[in-house]
Coordinates of all heavy atoms in Angstrom, one line a residue:
M22 N 0.8 -1.2 0.0 CA 0.0 0.0 0.0 C 0.9 1.3 0.0 O 1.8 1.4 0.8 CB -0.9 0.0 1.2 CG -2.2 0.8 1.0 SD -3.3 0.5 2.4 CE -3.3 2.2 3.1
Q23 N 0.5 2.1 -0.9 CA 1.3 3.3 -1.0 C 0.8 4.4 0.0 O -0.3 4.6 0.2 CB 1.2 3.9 -2.4 CG 2.6 4.1 -3.0 CD 2.5 4.7 -4.4 OE1 1.4 4.8 -5.0 NE2 3.6 5.1 -5.0
E24 N 1.8 5.1 0.5 CA 1.4 6.1 1.5 C 0.9 7.4 0.7 O 1.5 7.8 -0.2 CB 2.6 6.6 2.3 CG 2.3 7.2 3.6 CD 3.5 7.8 4.3 OE1 4.6 7.1 4.2 OE2 3.4 8.8 5.0
K25 N -0.2 7.9 1.2 CA -0.8 9.0 0.5 C 0.0 10.3 0.9 O 0.3 10.5 2.0 CB -2.3 9.2 1.0 CG -3.3 8.6 0.1 CD -4.7 9.1 0.4 CE -5.7 8.4 -0.4 NZ -7.0 8.7 0.1
R26 N 0.3 11.0 -0.1 CA 1.0 12.3 0.1 C -0.1 13.4 0.4 O -1.1 13.4 -0.1 CB 1.8 12.7 -1.1 CG 3.2 12.1 -1.0 CD 4.1 12.9 -1.9 NE 3.7 12.9 -3.3 CZ 4.3 13.6 -4.2 NH1 5.4 14.3 -3.9 NH2 3.9 13.5 -5.5
K27 N 0.3 14.3 1.3 CA -0.6 15.4 1.6 C -0.7 16.3 0.4 O 0.3 16.7 -0.2 CB -0.1 16.2 2.8 CG -0.6 15.6 4.1 CD -0.5 16.6 5.3 CE -1.0 15.9 6.5 NZ -0.5 16.6 7.7
I28 N -2.0 16.7 0.2 CA -2.2 17.6 -0.9 C -1.9 19.0 -0.4 O -2.4 19.5 0.6 CB -3.6 17.6 -1.4 CG1 -4.0 16.2 -1.9 CG2 -3.9 18.6 -2.5 CD1 -5.4 15.9 -2.1
E29 N -1.0 19.7 -1.1 CA -0.6 21.1 -0.7 C -1.2 22.1 -1.7 O -1.2 21.9 -2.9 CB 0.9 21.2 -0.5 CG 1.4 20.5 0.6 CD 2.7 21.0 1.1 OE1 3.5 21.3 0.2 OE2 3.0 21.0 2.3
R30 N -1.6 23.2 -1.2 CA -2.0 24.3 -2.0 C -1.3 25.6 -1.5 O -0.9 25.7 -0.4 CB -3.6 24.5 -1.9 CG -4.3 23.4 -2.5 CD -4.3 23.5 -4.1 NE -5.0 22.4 -4.7 CZ -4.6 21.2 -5.1 NH1 -3.4 20.9 -4.8 NH2 -5.4 20.4 -5.7
T31 N -1.3 26.6 -2.4 CA -0.6 27.8 -2.0 C -1.7 28.9 -1.7 O -2.6 29.1 -2.4 CB 0.2 28.3 -3.2 OG1 1.1 27.3 -3.6 CG2 1.0 29.6 -2.9
C32 N -1.4 29.6 -0.5 CA -2.2 30.7 -0.2 C -2.0 31.8 -1.2 O -0.8 32.2 -1.4 CB -1.9 31.2 1.2 SG -2.6 32.7 1.7
I33 N -3.1 32.3 -1.8 CA -2.9 33.3 -2.8 C -2.4 34.7 -2.3 O -2.0 35.5 -3.1 CB -4.1 33.5 -3.7 CG1 -5.3 33.9 -2.9 CG2 -4.4 32.2 -4.5 CD1 -6.5 34.3 -3.8
A34 N -2.5 34.9 -1.0 CA -2.1 36.1 -0.4 C -0.6 36.1 0.0 O 0.2 37.0 -0.4 CB -3.0 36.5 0.7
C35 N -0.2 35.1 0.8 CA 1.2 35.1 1.3 C 2.1 34.1 0.5 O 3.3 34.0 0.7 CB 1.2 34.8 2.8 SG 0.7 33.1 3.2
R36 N 1.5 33.4 -0.4 CA 2.2 32.4 -1.3 C 2.8 31.3 -0.6 O 3.7 30.6 -1.1 CB 3.2 33.1 -2.2 CG 2.8 34.5 -2.8 CD 1.7 34.3 -3.8 NE 2.1 33.5 -4.9 CZ 1.3 33.1 -5.9 NH1 0.0 33.4 -5.7 NH2 1.6 32.3 -6.9
E37 N 2.4 31.0 0.7 CA 2.9 29.9 1.4 C 2.2 28.6 1.1 O 1.0 28.6 1.0 CB 2.9 30.2 2.9 CG 4.2 30.6 3.5 CD 4.1 30.9 5.0 OE1 3.6 30.0 5.7 OE2 4.4 32.0 5.4
K38 N 2.9 27.6 1.0 CA 2.3 26.3 0.8 C 1.9 25.6 2.1 O 2.6 25.6 3.0 CB 3.2 25.3 0.0 CG 3.2 25.5 -1.4 CD 3.8 24.4 -2.2 CE 3.7 24.6 -3.7 NZ 4.5 23.7 -4.4
R39 N 0.7 25.1 2.1 CA 0.1 24.5 3.3 C -0.7 23.3 2.9 O -1.2 23.2 1.8 CB -0.8 25.4 4.1 CG 0.0 26.5 4.8 CD -1.0 27.5 5.3 NE -0.3 28.7 5.9 CZ 0.0 28.7 7.2 NH1 -0.3 27.7 8.0 NH2 0.7 29.7 7.6
P40 N -0.9 22.3 3.8 CA -1.8 21.2 3.5 C -3.2 21.8 3.3 O -3.6 22.7 3.9 CB -1.7 20.4 4.8 CG -0.6 20.9 5.6 CD -0.2 22.2 5.1
K41 N -3.9 21.1 2.4 CA -5.2 21.6 1.9 C -6.2 21.8 3.1 O -7.0 22.7 3.1 CB -5.8 20.6 1.0 CG -6.7 21.2 0.0 CD -7.1 20.2 -1.0 CE -8.3 20.7 -1.9 NZ -8.8 19.6 -2.8
N42 N -6.1 21.0 4.1 CA -7.1 21.1 5.2 C -6.8 22.2 6.1 O -7.6 22.5 7.0 CB -7.1 19.7 6.0 CG -5.8 19.4 6.6 OD1 -4.8 20.1 6.5 ND2 -5.8 18.2 7.3
E43 N -5.7 22.9 5.9 CA -5.4 24.1 6.7 C -5.8 25.4 6.0 O -5.5 26.5 6.5 CB -3.9 24.2 7.1 CG -3.5 23.1 8.1 CD -2.1 23.2 8.5 OE1 -1.4 24.2 8.2 OE2 -1.6 22.2 9.0
L44 N -6.3 25.3 4.8 CA -6.6 26.4 4.0 C -8.1 26.6 3.8 O -8.9 25.6 3.9 CB -6.0 26.2 2.6 CG -4.5 26.2 2.6 CD1 -4.0 25.5 1.3 CD2 -3.9 27.6 2.6
E45 N -8.5 27.8 3.6 CA -9.9 28.1 3.2 C -10.1 28.1 1.7 O -9.2 28.7 1.0 CB -10.3 29.5 3.7 CG -10.2 29.7 5.2 CD -11.4 29.4 6.0 OE1 -12.4 28.8 5.3 OE2 -11.5 29.7 7.1
R46 N -11.1 27.4 1.3 CA -11.3 27.4 -0.2 C -12.3 28.4 -0.6 O -13.3 28.7 0.0 CB -11.8 26.0 -0.6 CG -11.9 25.8 -2.1 CD -12.2 24.3 -2.4 NE -12.0 24.1 -3.8 CZ -13.0 24.0 -4.7 NH1 -14.3 24.0 -4.3 NH2 -12.8 23.8 -6.0
Y47 N -12.0 29.0 -1.8 CA -12.9 30.0 -2.4 C -13.1 29.6 -3.8 O -12.2 29.1 -4.5 CB -12.3 31.4 -2.3 CG -12.2 31.9 -0.9 CD1 -11.1 31.6 -0.1 CD2 -13.2 32.8 -0.4 CE1 -11.0 32.1 1.2 CE2 -13.1 33.2 0.9 CZ -12.0 32.9 1.7 OH -11.9 33.3 3.0
V48 N -14.3 29.8 -4.3 CA -14.6 29.5 -5.7 C -15.3 30.6 -6.4 O -15.8 31.5 -5.7 CB -15.5 28.2 -5.8 CG1 -14.8 27.0 -5.3 CG2 -16.8 28.4 -5.1
L49 N -15.3 30.6 -7.7 CA -16.0 31.6 -8.5 C -17.4 31.1 -8.8 O -17.6 30.0 -9.4 CB -15.2 31.8 -9.8 CG -15.3 33.1 -10.5 CD1 -14.9 34.3 -9.6 CD2 -14.5 33.1 -11.8
S50 N -18.4 31.9 -8.4 CA -19.7 31.5 -8.6 C -20.1 31.8 -10.1 O -19.3 32.4 -10.8 CB -20.7 32.2 -7.7 OG -20.8 33.6 -8.1
A51 N -21.3 31.3 -10.5 CA -21.7 31.5 -11.9 C -21.8 33.0 -12.3 O -21.5 33.3 -13.4 CB -23.0 30.8 -12.1
G52 N -22.1 33.8 -11.3 CA -22.2 35.2 -11.6 C -20.9 36.0 -11.5 O -20.8 37.2 -11.6
G53 N -19.8 35.2 -11.3 CA -18.5 35.9 -11.3 C -18.0 36.4 -10.0 O -17.1 37.1 -9.8
K54 N -18.8 36.0 -8.9 CA -18.5 36.4 -7.6 C -17.6 35.4 -6.9 O -17.8 34.2 -7.0 CB -19.8 36.6 -6.8 CG -20.5 37.9 -7.1 CD -21.5 38.2 -5.9 CE -21.9 39.6 -5.8 NZ -23.0 40.1 -6.6
V55 N -16.7 35.9 -6.1 CA -15.9 35.0 -5.3 C -16.6 34.7 -4.0 O -17.0 35.6 -3.3 CB -14.5 35.6 -5.0 CG1 -13.7 34.7 -4.1 CG2 -13.7 35.9 -6.2
I56 N -16.8 33.4 -3.7 CA -17.5 33.0 -2.5 C -16.7 32.0 -1.8 O -16.0 31.2 -2.3 CB -19.0 32.5 -2.8 CG1 -18.9 31.3 -3.9 CG2 -19.9 33.6 -3.3 CD1 -20.2 30.6 -4.0
R57 N -16.9 32.0 -0.4 CA -16.2 31.1 0.4 C -16.9 29.7 0.3 O -18.1 29.6 0.1 CB -16.3 31.5 1.9 CG -15.1 31.1 2.7 CD -15.0 32.1 3.9 NE -16.1 31.7 4.9 CZ -15.9 30.8 5.8 NH1 -14.8 30.1 5.9 NH2 -16.9 30.5 6.7
D58 N -16.1 28.7 0.3 CA -16.6 27.3 0.2 C -16.2 26.5 1.4 O -15.2 25.7 1.4 CB -16.0 26.7 -1.1 CG -16.3 25.3 -1.3 OD1 -17.3 24.8 -0.6 OD2 -15.6 24.6 -2.1
P59 N -16.9 26.7 2.5 CA -16.5 26.1 3.8 C -16.5 24.5 3.7 O -15.7 23.9 4.5 CB -17.6 26.6 4.8 CG -18.6 27.3 4.0 CD -18.2 27.5 2.6
E60 N -17.3 23.9 2.9 CA -17.3 22.5 2.8 C -16.3 21.9 1.8 O -16.1 20.7 1.7 CB -18.7 22.0 2.5 CG -19.9 22.5 3.4 CD -19.7 22.0 4.8 OE1 -19.1 20.9 5.0 OE2 -20.0 22.8 5.7
K61 N -15.7 22.8 1.1 CA -14.7 22.5 0.1 C -15.3 21.5 -1.0 O -14.6 20.6 -1.4 CB -13.5 21.9 0.7 CG -12.7 22.9 1.6 CD -11.4 22.3 2.1 CE -10.5 23.3 2.8 NZ -11.0 23.6 4.2
D62 N -16.5 21.7 -1.4 CA -17.1 20.7 -2.3 C -17.8 21.4 -3.5 O -18.5 20.7 -4.2 CB -18.0 19.7 -1.6 CG -19.2 20.4 -0.9 OD1 -19.3 21.7 -1.0 OD2 -20.1 19.7 -0.4
L63 N -17.7 22.7 -3.6 CA -18.3 23.4 -4.7 C -17.5 23.1 -6.0 O -16.3 23.0 -5.9 CB -18.4 24.9 -4.4 CG -19.3 25.3 -3.3 CD1 -19.2 26.8 -3.1 CD2 -20.8 24.9 -3.5
P64 N -18.3 23.0 -7.1 CA -17.6 22.7 -8.4 C -16.8 23.9 -8.8 O -17.0 25.1 -8.4 CB -18.7 22.4 -9.3 CG -19.9 23.1 -8.8 CD -19.7 23.1 -7.3
G65 N -15.9 23.7 -9.7 CA -15.1 24.8 -10.3 C -13.7 24.9 -9.7 O -13.3 24.2 -8.8
R66 N -13.0 25.9 -10.3 CA -11.7 26.1 -9.9 C -11.6 26.8 -8.5 O -12.4 27.7 -8.3 CB -11.1 27.1 -10.9 CG -9.6 27.3 -10.8 CD -9.2 28.3 -11.8 NE -7.8 28.7 -11.6 CZ -6.7 28.1 -12.0 NH1 -6.9 27.0 -12.8 NH2 -5.5 28.5 -11.7
G67 N -10.8 26.4 -7.7 CA -10.7 26.9 -6.3 C -9.5 27.8 -6.1 O -8.4 27.6 -6.8
A68 N -9.6 28.7 -5.2 CA -8.4 29.5 -4.8 C -8.3 29.4 -3.3 O -9.4 29.2 -2.6 CB -8.5 30.9 -5.2
Y69 N -7.1 29.4 -2.8 CA -7.0 29.1 -1.3 C -6.3 30.3 -0.6 O -5.4 30.9 -1.1 CB -6.2 27.8 -1.1 CG -6.9 26.6 -1.7 CD1 -6.7 26.3 -3.1 CD2 -7.7 25.8 -0.9 CE1 -7.4 25.2 -3.6 CE2 -8.3 24.7 -1.4 CZ -8.2 24.4 -2.8 OH -8.8 23.4 -3.3
L70 N -6.9 30.5 0.6 CA -6.2 31.4 1.6 C -6.0 30.6 2.9 O -6.8 29.8 3.3 CB -7.2 32.5 1.9 CG -7.4 33.7 0.9 CD1 -8.5 34.6 1.4 CD2 -6.1 34.4 0.7
C71 N -4.8 30.9 3.5 CA -4.5 30.3 4.8 C -5.4 30.9 5.8 O -6.1 31.9 5.6 CB -3.1 30.3 5.1 SG -2.4 32.0 5.4
G72 N -5.4 30.4 7.0 CA -6.3 30.9 8.1 C -5.9 32.2 8.6 O -6.6 32.8 9.5
N73 N -4.8 32.8 8.2 CA -4.3 34.0 8.7 C -5.2 35.2 8.3 O -5.5 35.4 7.2 CB -2.9 34.3 8.1 CG -2.1 35.4 8.7 OD1 -2.7 36.3 9.3 ND2 -0.8 35.3 8.7
E74 N -5.6 36.0 9.3 CA -6.5 37.1 9.1 C -5.9 38.1 8.2 O -6.6 38.7 7.4 CB -6.8 37.7 10.5 CG -8.2 38.4 10.5 CD -8.4 39.1 11.8 OE1 -8.2 38.4 12.9 OE2 -8.9 40.3 11.8
D75 N -4.6 38.3 8.3 CA -3.9 39.3 7.5 C -4.0 38.9 6.0 O -4.1 39.8 5.1 CB -2.4 39.4 7.9 CG -2.3 40.2 9.2 OD1 -3.2 40.8 9.6 OD2 -1.2 40.1 9.8
C76 N -4.0 37.6 5.7 CA -4.1 37.2 4.4 C -5.5 37.5 3.8 O -5.6 37.9 2.7 CB -3.8 35.7 4.2 SG -2.0 35.4 4.4
L77 N -6.5 37.3 4.6 CA -7.9 37.6 4.2 C -8.0 39.1 3.9 O -8.5 39.5 2.9 CB -8.9 37.2 5.3 CG -10.3 37.5 5.0 CD1 -10.8 36.8 3.7 CD2 -11.2 37.0 6.2
K78 N -7.4 39.9 4.8 CA -7.5 41.4 4.7 C -6.7 41.8 3.4 O -7.2 42.6 2.6 CB -6.8 42.1 5.8 CG -7.8 42.1 7.0 CD -7.1 42.9 8.2 CE -7.9 42.8 9.4 NZ -7.1 43.2 10.6
A79 N -5.6 41.2 3.2 CA -4.8 41.5 2.0 C -5.5 41.1 0.7 O -5.5 41.8 -0.3 CB -3.4 40.8 2.1
A80 N -6.2 39.9 0.8 CA -6.9 39.5 -0.4 C -8.1 40.4 -0.7 O -8.4 40.6 -1.9 CB -7.4 38.0 -0.1
I81 N -8.7 40.9 0.3 CA -9.8 41.8 0.1 C -9.3 43.1 -0.5 O -10.0 43.8 -1.4 CB -10.7 42.0 1.4 CG1 -11.4 40.8 1.7 CG2 -11.6 43.2 1.2 CD1 -12.1 40.7 3.0
K82 N -8.1 43.5 -0.1 CA -7.6 44.8 -0.5 C -7.0 44.7 -1.9 O -7.2 45.5 -2.8 CB -6.5 45.2 0.5 CG -6.2 46.7 0.5 CD -5.3 46.9 1.7 CE -4.7 48.3 1.6 NZ -3.7 48.6 2.7
R83 N -6.2 43.6 -2.1 CA -5.5 43.6 -3.4 C -6.1 42.6 -4.4 O -5.7 42.6 -5.6 CB -4.0 43.0 -3.1 CG -3.2 43.9 -2.2 CD -1.8 43.7 -2.3 NE -1.5 42.2 -2.3 CZ -1.0 41.6 -1.2 NH1 -0.7 42.2 -0.1 NH2 -0.8 40.3 -1.2
N84 N -7.1 41.9 -4.0 CA -7.8 41.0 -4.9 C -6.9 40.1 -5.7 O -6.9 40.1 -7.0 CB -8.7 41.7 -5.8 CG -9.7 40.8 -6.5 OD1 -9.7 39.6 -6.3 ND2 -10.6 41.3 -7.3
P85 N -6.1 39.2 -5.1 CA -5.3 38.2 -5.8 C -6.2 37.2 -6.5 O -5.7 36.4 -7.3 CB -4.4 37.6 -4.7 CG -5.2 37.8 -3.5 CD -5.9 39.0 -3.6
F86 N -7.5 37.2 -6.2 CA -8.4 36.3 -6.8 C -8.4 36.5 -8.4 O -8.6 35.6 -9.2 CB -9.8 36.4 -6.3 CG -9.9 36.0 -4.9 CD1 -10.0 36.9 -3.8 CD2 -10.0 34.6 -4.6 CE1 -10.1 36.5 -2.5 CE2 -10.1 34.2 -3.2 CZ -10.1 35.1 -2.2
S87 N -8.3 37.8 -8.8 CA -8.4 38.1 -10.2 C -7.3 37.4 -11.0 O -7.5 37.0 -12.1 CB -8.4 39.6 -10.4 OG -7.1 40.1 -10.0
R88 N -6.1 37.2 -10.3 CA -5.1 36.5 -11.0 C -5.3 35.0 -10.9 O -5.2 34.2 -11.9 CB -3.7 36.8 -10.3 CG -2.6 36.2 -11.1 CD -1.2 36.7 -10.6 NE -1.1 36.5 -9.2 CZ -0.1 37.0 -8.4 NH1 0.8 37.8 -9.0 NH2 -0.1 36.8 -7.1
A89 N -5.8 34.5 -9.7 CA -6.1 33.1 -9.5 C -7.1 32.6 -10.5 O -7.1 31.5 -11.0 CB -6.4 32.8 -8.1
F90 N -8.1 33.5 -10.7 CA -9.2 33.1 -11.6 C -9.1 33.7 -13.0 O -10.0 33.7 -13.7 CB -10.6 33.5 -11.0 CG -10.9 32.7 -9.7 CD1 -11.3 33.4 -8.5 CD2 -10.9 31.4 -9.7 CE1 -11.6 32.7 -7.4 CE2 -11.2 30.7 -8.5 CZ -11.5 31.4 -7.4
R91 N -8.0 34.2 -13.3 CA -7.6 34.8 -14.6 C -8.6 35.9 -15.1 O -9.3 35.7 -16.0 CB -7.6 33.7 -15.6 CG -6.6 32.6 -15.2 CD -6.4 31.5 -16.2 NE -5.6 30.6 -15.5 CZ -4.6 30.0 -16.1 NH1 -4.3 30.2 -17.4 NH2 -3.9 29.1 -15.5
G92 N -8.6 36.9 -14.3 CA -9.3 38.1 -14.8 C -10.5 38.5 -14.2 O -10.6 39.7 -13.8
R93 N -11.5 37.6 -14.0 CA -12.8 38.1 -13.5 C -13.0 37.5 -12.1 O -13.1 36.3 -11.9 CB -13.9 37.7 -14.5 CG -13.8 36.3 -14.8 CD -14.7 36.0 -16.0 NE -14.8 34.5 -16.1 CZ -15.7 33.8 -15.5 NH1 -16.7 34.3 -14.8 NH2 -15.7 32.5 -15.6
A94 N -13.1 38.4 -11.2 CA -13.3 38.0 -9.8 C -13.9 39.2 -9.0 O -13.3 40.1 -8.7 CB -12.0 37.6 -9.2
D95 N -15.2 39.0 -8.8 CA -15.9 40.1 -8.0 C -15.9 39.7 -6.5 O -16.5 38.7 -6.1 CB -17.3 40.1 -8.5 CG -18.2 41.1 -7.8 OD1 -17.7 41.7 -6.8 OD2 -19.4 41.3 -8.1
I96 N -15.2 40.5 -5.7 CA -15.0 40.1 -4.3 C -16.0 40.9 -3.4 O -15.7 41.0 -2.2 CB -13.6 40.3 -3.8 CG1 -13.0 41.7 -4.1 CG2 -12.7 39.2 -4.5 CD1 -11.7 41.9 -3.4
S97 N -17.0 41.5 -4.0 CA -17.9 42.3 -3.2 C -18.6 41.5 -2.1 O -18.8 42.0 -1.0 CB -19.0 43.0 -4.1 OG -19.7 42.0 -4.8
A98 N -18.8 40.2 -2.3 CA -19.4 39.4 -1.3 C -18.5 39.2 -0.1 O -18.9 39.2 1.0 CB -19.8 38.0 -1.9
L99 N -17.2 39.0 -0.4 CA -16.2 38.9 0.6 C -16.0 40.2 1.4 O -15.9 40.2 2.6 CB -14.9 38.5 0.1 CG -14.7 37.1 -0.6 CD1 -13.3 36.8 -0.9 CD2 -15.3 36.0 0.3
R100 N -16.1 41.3 0.6 CA -16.0 42.6 1.3 C -17.1 42.8 2.3 O -16.9 43.2 3.4 CB -16.0 43.7 0.3 CG -14.7 43.9 -0.4 CD -14.5 45.4 -0.9 NE -13.2 45.6 -1.4 CZ -13.0 45.6 -2.7 NH1 -13.9 45.4 -3.6 NH2 -11.8 45.8 -3.2
A101 N -18.3 42.4 1.8 CA -19.5 42.6 2.7 C -19.4 41.7 3.9 O -19.8 42.1 5.0 CB -20.7 42.3 1.9
E102 N -18.9 40.6 3.7 CA -18.8 39.6 4.8 C -17.7 40.0 5.8 O -17.9 39.7 7.0 CB -18.4 38.2 4.2 CG -19.1 37.0 4.9 CD -18.7 35.7 4.2 OE1 -19.3 35.4 3.1 OE2 -17.8 35.1 4.7
N103 N -16.6 40.6 5.4 CA -15.5 40.8 6.2 C -15.1 42.2 6.4 O -14.2 42.5 7.1 CB -14.3 40.0 5.7 CG -14.5 38.5 5.6 OD1 -14.6 37.9 6.5 ND2 -14.8 38.1 4.3
G104 N -15.8 43.1 5.8 CA -15.5 44.5 5.8 C -15.9 45.1 7.2 O -15.4 46.2 7.6
Ligands
ZN10 ZN1 -1.6 33.3 3.7

């Protein structure tokens, strides 16, 4: 039996690699809005932020989602939730 390797993802704010279960997943909704995916089961491309509050703040300020999702990323929902 082969040992499973931990899946790692990069926080889009601080660029640090972490195991997937330590990261918050965000996805792009059909309307182009970035929404949090607490159950990590929504379809589509995901972007990840670590649990660091500064990273969330930086993400809301600088919107690294637009790069992660290649151009279109409306973070107004996140702003409303965390502003
Ligand atoms: Zn981070």
Side-chain angles (χ1 to χ4, degrees):
M22 205 172 116
Q23 234 181 352
E24 200 185 327
K25 263 191 188 171
R26 273 201 300 176
K27 271 197 179 158
I28 301 169
E29 290 200 322
R30 291 287 183 269
T31 306
C32 169
I33 59 171
C35 67
R36 316 296 298 169
E37 257 181 55
K38 275 197 175 166
R39 288 168 184 271
K41 208 175 168 182
N42 61 0
E43 289 179 18
L44 294 157
E45 301 267 13
R46 184 171 192 256
Y47 294 82
V48 294
L49 203 59
S50 75
K54 282 196 157 90
V55 178
I56 53 170
R57 212 157 73 85
D58 175 15
E60 305 299 327
K61 297 187 172 73
D62 62 357
L63 294 177
R66 188 183 170 86
Y69 296 85
L70 283 176
C71 64
N73 193 332
E74 201 183 318
D75 287 343
C76 285
L77 179 60
K78 281 182 188 163
I81 288 169
K82 204 170 167 185
R83 299 200 312 259
N84 193 1
F86 292 102
S87 64
R88 189 171 54 189
F90 293 129
R91 304 186 185 222
R93 49 195 191 91
D95 176 359
I96 56 168
S97 59
L99 293 188
R100 280 211 176 97
E102 214 178 282
N103 302 286

